[in-house]
Amino acid sequence: MAEAQAFVTLATTDAYSMGCLVVGKSLRRHGTSRKLVAMVSPNVSRASRLALEDVFDEVVVVDVLDSRDKTHLTWLRRPELGVTFTKLHCWTLTQYSKCVFLDADTLVLCNVDELFEYEELSAAPDPGWPDCFNSGVFVFRPSLNTHTQILEHTAQHGSFDGGDQGVLNTFFSDWAVKDIRKHLPFVYNLTAGAIYTYLPAFQQYGHHAKIVHFLGGTKPWHLSYDPQAANESSLRDSSKNFMNLWWVEYYSQRQLQFKKDDKNKDYS
Ligand code: UDP
Ligand code: MN
C-alpha cells in the first residue's frame, strides 16, 4: 500500500497554472515535508509545464478523454462538466495514500502539514451555504474505486452548481452532520469575501489565517501587482493585500530565504 502523501492542485489553462505555481511555491516556502503534485490538462503549454516542474515533484497530465472506457462514457454523457471531471481525477493518484487538494486560486500562508491528520472527506464550510463544504481545500484518499463511484454519481445526478463542489457535496452528503472532525477550521480556506461580510471576525481572527482562497470571478492573476498597496496595511484593504502577497510569491525565487518576521507583514 502507498505510504506517501501529497498536496495536489490543478490547472486546465495557462492562467490557472500561474495559480498552481503560487500554490507550490507557498507550500515550499513554509517547508512542507509532503510531495507536491500538479495535474494539468494537455492544452497547458510546455512553458507552463516546465515552470511547474521546477516546483512540483510531479506534473501529471490528465485527460478525461484518454482514460478508461467507463470514464470516457461518463464524460460523453455530461460534456459540460469537463473541468469538474478533471478535478475529480485526483482520486486516481493512488501512488499516494492520502492527499490534500488545493484549488489553483489558493495561497498558503504557513506550514499546513497537519492537514494530513484529517480523514476523507474533510473540508471547511462554504461561506455562502455553511452546510456545504467548499471544495477549494479538501483532504481525500486516492482510490480508483471511489473515483469510479464519484463519476457514476456525477453522470446520474449531475452537479447542482455546475462544478465539482456540487458533485462532491451530494456524494459526501453527510458531511454537515456526521462527524465534526471532518470540518476543517475556516482559517484553512479563508475566502476573501468573508473579510467584508464579517469584518469584526476578521479583525479578531484574521491573523490566524493559514490558507487564503481567491474564490469567485476575480483572480489575482487578473489584476496587476501594486507595490504601493503592498506597503499599506489597513484592514479594509486586506483582500488587496492578500492579492499583493500572491504576486510577491509569484515573482519570488524559490531559493530566496525570507525573514520570518516578514511573513505576516501585509495583513497584520
Ligand atoms: N480550474 C481550472 N481551469 C478552469 C477552471 C477551474 O483548472 O478553467 C481548476 C483550478 O484548479 C481552480 C478550480 O478548478 O482553482 C476551481 O475553479 P475556481 O477556483 O475558478 O472556482 P471558485 O473557487 O472561484 O469557485
Ligand atoms: Mn477556487
Side-chain angles (χ1 to χ4, degrees), residues 16 87 103-106 134-136 213-216 219:
Y16 274 97
K87 184 158 169 181
D103 260 10
D105 59 344
T106 59
N134 183 277
S135 62
H213 184 187
F214 300 98
L215 176 137
K219 305 301 187 196

Side-chain angles (χ1 to χ4, degrees), residues 85-104:
F85 271 67
T86 314
K87 184 158 169 181
L88 300 176
H89 251 71
C90 66
W91 264 274
T92 67
L93 299 169
T94 52
Q95 62 272 45
Y96 302 103
S97 60
K98 196 189 274 186
C99 295
V100 173
F101 185 91
L102 297 175
D103 260 10

Side-chain angles (χ1 to χ4, degrees), residues 8-206:
V8 179
T9 184
L10 161 73
T12 67
T13 66
D14 282 348
Y16 274 97
S17 58
M18 291 170 74
C20 288
L21 201 63
V22 167
V23 171
K25 282 177 148 192
S26 60
L27 284 164
R28 291 260 184 248
R29 170 192 302 279
H30 299 295
T32 182
S33 64
R34 301 322 201 267
K35 297 286 185 191
L36 304 188
V37 178
M39 302 192 297
V40 297
S41 55
N43 57 298
V44 167
S45 72
R46 193 180 133 76
S48 294
R49 263 187 253 177
L50 286 175
L52 290 172
E53 275 167 16
D54 222 30
V55 176
F56 286 81
D57 295 290
E58 269 198 89
V59 177
V60 181
V61 180
V62 286
D63 183 356
V64 280
L65 291 169
D66 272 355
S67 53
R68 296 167 306 144
D69 277 351
K70 202 161 198 173
T71 317
H72 192 177
L73 286 175
T74 312
W75 156 267
L76 287 179
R77 267 139 72 197
R78 314 286 310 206
E80 79 282 8
L81 293 173
V83 173
T84 297
F85 271 67
T86 314
K87 184 158 169 181
L88 300 176
H89 251 71
C90 66
W91 264 274
T92 67
L93 299 169
T94 52
Q95 62 272 45
Y96 302 103
S97 60
K98 196 189 274 186
C99 295
V100 173
F101 185 91
L102 297 175
D103 260 10
D105 59 344
T106 59
L107 172 67
V108 177
L109 304 175
C110 61
N111 187 294
V112 291
D113 285 358
E114 70 275 11
L115 282 172
F116 290 91
E117 289 163 22
Y118 290 83
E119 269 311 318
E120 175 173 282
L121 184 291
S122 293
D126 185 85
W129 192 268
D131 277 349
C132 285
F133 58 84
N134 183 277
S135 62
V137 177
F138 63 89
V139 182
F140 69 101
R141 277 191 184 278
S143 149
L144 294 181
N145 197 16
T146 311
H147 180 239
T148 305
Q149 282 179 34
I150 298 176
L151 290 188
E152 278 305 310
H153 174 88
T154 314
Q156 246 175 43
H157 305 283
S159 166
F160 69 79
D161 66 0
D164 57 280
Q165 183 162 318
V167 168
L168 292 173
N169 270 277
T170 52
F171 187 80
F172 295 100
S173 60
D174 59 6
W175 173 85
V177 293
K178 180 134 186 249
D179 187 353
I180 192 69
R181 287 171 301 182
K182 294 184 178 178
H183 289 221
L184 295 181
F186 190 61
V187 288
Y188 287 105
N189 189 344
L190 181 84
T191 49
I195 298 167
Y196 304 110
T197 52
Y198 198 179
L199 183 60
F202 182 75
Q203 286 170 324
Q204 178 76 7
Y205 303 114

